[in-house]
Amino acid sequence: EGAIRLPATALKGQAQVWVIDNGQLASRDITVLGELDFGQSIIAAPFDLADGVVALAPLEAEEGQPVSVRAAPSITADTGG
């Protein structure tokens, strides 16, 4: 419950990801439950799909940095069982 499959590039350090909160970068603490695809994907929890996730953050990303959203057709959420 509340877990999601994410690209490993979404990790910010060992246990955080970037999300977009009101048009700004915000970090969220997660627990990595496992890896798939030889480390290319992770299973993370807790995760609220409403937060979305930044699949590949800018190199010098900072908390509160203004950002805009664009679709990434090759990245999808896998919330199956």
Side-chain angles (χ1 to χ4, degrees):
E1 185 70 29
I4 188 169
R5 180 179 179 166
L6 298 172
T9 57
L11 278 175
K12 173 191 173 225
Q14 295 287 356
Q16 291 183 323
V17 292
W18 287 114
V19 297
I20 298 173
D21 186 10
N22 292 320
Q24 297 180 338
L25 282 178
S27 80
R28 296 284 189 268
D29 293 331
I30 60 163
T31 299
V32 176
L33 302 173
E35 295 182 0
L36 300 169
D37 306 321
F38 302 101
Q40 297 297 309
S41 300
I42 60 166
I43 304 296
F47 198 84
D48 183 350
L49 286 175
D51 281 338
V53 67
V54 177
L56 189 58
L59 290 177
E60 297 183 15
E62 296 180 7
E63 187 88 21
Q65 179 179 349
V67 292
S68 59
V69 178
R70 75 173 189 198
S74 64
I75 298 174
T76 58
D78 180 357
T79 58

